[in-house]
Amino acid sequence: MLFYDCKTAPNPRRARMFIAEKGLEVETREVSIGKGEQLSDAFKAINPNATLPVLITDEGTALTENLGIAAYLEARFPEPPLMGRTPDEKGLVLMWNSIVEQQGGAPIGETLRNAHPAFADRAIPGPVNHAQIPELAQRGAARVGYFFDLLEWRLAESPYIAGSEFTLADISTFVFVDFARVIKTRIPQENSATLTWFEKVSTRPSAQL
């Protein structure tokens, strides 16, 4: 396998953590988003969408989305399970992973990309340039507040995002919550359940990657 990574971006970190939690060592090549290397002809020959991460399987398939990468690795290396064991658990993991992508990852990215000068004309990832829309940054920031409220509600009743065990959903949530620092947003001090969960996940070796 061959993994295309970017140390500074949240989505490659999600895949990096998943790989580490599986106990795998995968050959890695760094692609700098800051330098625009994902837009090079060489990289777009690997992933025409010009996004990271990318995992090239041993069969030569290019997997360019986190969920596809996780599904492949879970099927090939089922232990330890990170996407549930029972049908109910599998459903909950994918459900919560989708929720945190839509309610957390998306508005954090929307806020950053529509406000930070580094993303002028790059408001949407991919091969096509898009202008920033300041109103989307304002809306995104408000949505991030709701995301933290949602997490506190969920984690007040569940030790992990999708249930009793650490899963893909926790990886996604942890990375998004940590990345929210780029929009100067942290877990509210009164959100004790979320803070406890975040500290617990922070102690995992994969969280250091």
Side-chain angles (χ1 to χ4, degrees), residues 103-180:
Q103 304 297 331
I108 291 168
E110 189 174 68
T111 304
L112 175 66
R113 284 185 167 270
N114 284 283
H116 198 288
F119 293 98
D121 297 320
R122 292 292 300 158
I124 299 176
V128 179
N129 291 339
H130 292 275
Q132 292 176 322
I133 302 175
E135 290 80 5
L136 290 182
Q138 296 169 13
R139 185 184 71 178
R143 293 181 62 205
V144 172
Y146 169 76
F147 174 60
F148 280 101
D149 290 343
L150 174 66
L151 290 184
E152 182 64 13
W153 166 80
R154 174 59 178 167
L155 290 166
E157 65 176 24
S158 177
Y160 290 101
I161 297 296
S164 61
E165 303 294 333
F166 178 87
T167 69
L168 170 67
D170 294 283
I171 292 174
S172 295
T173 308
F174 177 81
V175 171
F176 293 145
V177 168
D178 196 36
F179 191 66

Side-chain angles (χ1 to χ4, degrees), residues 73-120:
L73 293 174
E74 185 84 349
R76 188 169 175 190
F77 307 98
E79 297 294 334
L82 295 174
M83 298 179 74
R85 290 189 183 273
T86 69
D88 277 20
E89 289 173 355
K90 291 176 184 293
L92 284 168
V93 170
L94 292 184
M95 181 187 83
W96 277 103
N97 192 71
S98 179
I99 288 171
V100 299
E101 284 184 335
Q102 295 172 23
Q103 304 297 331
I108 291 168
E110 189 174 68
T111 304
L112 175 66
R113 284 185 167 270
N114 284 283
H116 198 288
F119 293 98

Side-chain angles (χ1 to χ4, degrees), residues 20-99:
E21 289 286 342
K22 287 292 183 181
L24 303 173
E25 292 187 8
V26 178
E27 180 183 354
T28 299
R29 293 182 186 170
E30 182 74 7
V31 179
S32 173
I33 291 176
K35 296 178 181 178
E37 292 176 352
Q38 80 281 14
L39 300 172
S40 69
D41 290 339
F43 184 76
K44 286 195 289 185
I46 298 163
N47 179 12
N49 288 326
T51 58
L52 291 149
V54 177
L55 180 71
I56 308 297
T57 71
D58 287 339
E59 296 76 19
T61 301
L63 301 174
T64 64
E65 296 293 333
N66 266 292
L67 190 56
I69 292 170
Y72 170 81
L73 293 174
E74 185 84 349
R76 188 169 175 190
F77 307 98
E79 297 294 334
L82 295 174
M83 298 179 74
R85 290 189 183 273
T86 69
D88 277 20
E89 289 173 355
K90 291 176 184 293
L92 284 168
V93 170
L94 292 184
M95 181 187 83
W96 277 103
N97 192 71
S98 179
I99 288 171

